[in-house]
Structure formats: structure tokens, C-alpha cells
């Protein structure tokens, strides 16, 4: 498997992310959906990675700069047929390493509080993320779990 910075210009990643946003909308109330769309992921301050197995896109993730020392983990997704196969762990380890190399000292995230998101919360916990309060522009939300990690 190979992790690479993605400029988000290809149709495969566009479809992959569209499926991600549609899935989040089907699970989470609209006012609690925080997944970034393609245009938002292309903004300055966002670095986006895709992970491929051979020629097949199997996952993605991004970080969004909040300030000089703090970034937010965004758009973590594994293709449904490859869930629980180590892809998310490999990608998250890569993103944490890259965030450190970029000079960030803290990485935070928002994920769902529903049962559907329990595997994600367990993954983040395995990598040292702990629950925290809302950060950046987030507000308390019963549908959200906020987590952070000191790098």
C-alpha cells in the first residue's frame, strides 16, 4: 500500500469523497455534519492524502491547519469493503508523522458520537487521542465526540 499527497483532481477521489459525505448525511443530522466537501478540502491550509493498494483507492485522510501549532484531522475514510484491515491505522500513523514534520504540536478531531462511529473512536484512542471539549469553531453537540492528541 502507498500513501500519497493527493491534489483532489481525479474522478476516483471525487466519487470516493462524495460517497463519504452522502454516508455522513445519512447517519448524522445535517446540523451536526462536519465533513468537508471537495472544494473545502482544496483550500490552502489543508493537506490531503490518499492510500492506494496497487491501483485501487482504499482510503483517505486530511489535516486542516487551525493555527501554527494545531491541526484538525479531517475526512478519514476507508472503503467499506476494506474496513478493519489495517488501512486506517496505516494512514493515521502516516498523518500523525506528517503533522509532526509540519511543526504541529497538537492534532484534534471531531467524530460522531453514535454507535456507528465507535470503531473510529477506538482507533483514535489506540493512537493516543483523548476526549476533549469543542475546539476551533465547534460548539457542544450531542452528536459529536471531540478528541485531541499532543504531538
Amino acid at each position: 500500500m502507498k500513501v500519497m499527497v493527493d491534489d483532489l483532481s481525479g474522478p476516483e477521489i471525487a466519487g470516493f469523497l462524495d460517497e463519504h459525505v452522502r454516508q455522513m448525511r445519512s447517519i448524522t443530522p445535517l446540523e451536526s455534519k462536519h465533513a468537508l466537501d471537495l472544494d473545502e478540502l482544496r483550500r490552502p491550509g489543508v493537506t490531503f492524502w490518499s492510500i492506494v493498494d496497487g491501483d485501487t483507492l482504499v482510503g483517505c485522510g486530511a489535516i486542516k491547519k487551525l493555527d501554527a501549532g494545531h491541526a484538525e484531522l479531517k475526512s478519514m475514510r476507508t472503503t467499506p469493503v476494506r474496513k478493519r484491515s489495517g488501512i486506517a491505522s496505516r494512514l493515521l500513523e502516516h498523518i500523525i508523522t506528517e503533522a509532526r514534520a509540519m511543526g504541529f504540536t497538537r492534532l484534534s478531531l471531531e467524530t460522531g458520537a453514535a454507535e456507528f462511529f465507535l470503531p473510529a473512536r477506538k482507533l483514535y484512542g489506540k493512537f493516543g487521542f483523548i476526549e476533549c471539549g469543542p475546539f476551533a469553531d465547534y460548539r457542544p453537540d450531542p452528536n459529536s465526540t471531540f478528541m485531541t492528541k499532543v504531538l
Side-chain angles (χ1 to χ4, degrees):
M1 283 189 284
K2 182 179 173 187
V3 181
M4 59 193 160
V5 172
D6 193 326
D7 67 4
L8 301 167
S9 62
E12 187 177 16
I13 191 63
F16 194 79
L17 288 167
D18 183 58
E19 185 178 315
H20 174 62
V21 170
R22 280 189 281 114
Q23 183 180 39
M24 294 304 99
R25 285 184 180 152
S26 73
I27 296 165
T28 306
L30 190 56
E31 66 273 10
S32 297
K33 184 216 64 100
H34 303 291
L36 300 178
D37 65 24
L38 201 53
D39 288 335
E40 292 170 309
L41 288 167
R42 288 181 176 140
R43 290 187 179 160
V46 176
T47 304
F48 187 93
W49 292 270
S50 289
I51 184 166
V52 295
D53 188 359
D55 291 331
T56 305
L57 176 64
V58 294
C60 65
I63 55 173
K64 176 183 174 185
K65 180 180 179 178
L66 300 175
D67 63 39
H70 192 188
E72 179 181 5
L73 182 65
K74 299 295 293 182
S75 300
M76 280 286 295
R77 182 171 196 269
T78 301
T79 189
V81 298
R82 297 288 299 272
K83 284 188 185 263
R84 293 167 194 59
S85 66
I87 292 166
S89 291
R90 170 107 185 257
L91 183 59
L92 185 54
E93 183 174 29
H94 180 86
I95 290 172
I96 290 168
T97 299
E98 291 297 307
R100 278 189 187 112
M102 293 174 179
F104 294 112
T105 57
R106 178 173 296 279
L107 191 57
S108 300
L109 63 94
E110 179 277 337
T111 191
E115 186 71 21
F116 174 86
F117 298 98
L118 181 59
R121 294 191 305 269
K122 285 183 175 181
L123 172 72
Y124 300 135
K126 181 176 107 175
F127 278 84
F129 286 84
I130 58 170
E131 287 194 30
C132 65
F135 59 92
D137 294 332
Y138 290 104
R139 299 290 171 252
D141 182 340
N143 297 301
S144 290
T145 298
F146 302 98
M147 302 179 83
T148 195
K149 174 183 175 67
V150 174
L151 303 176

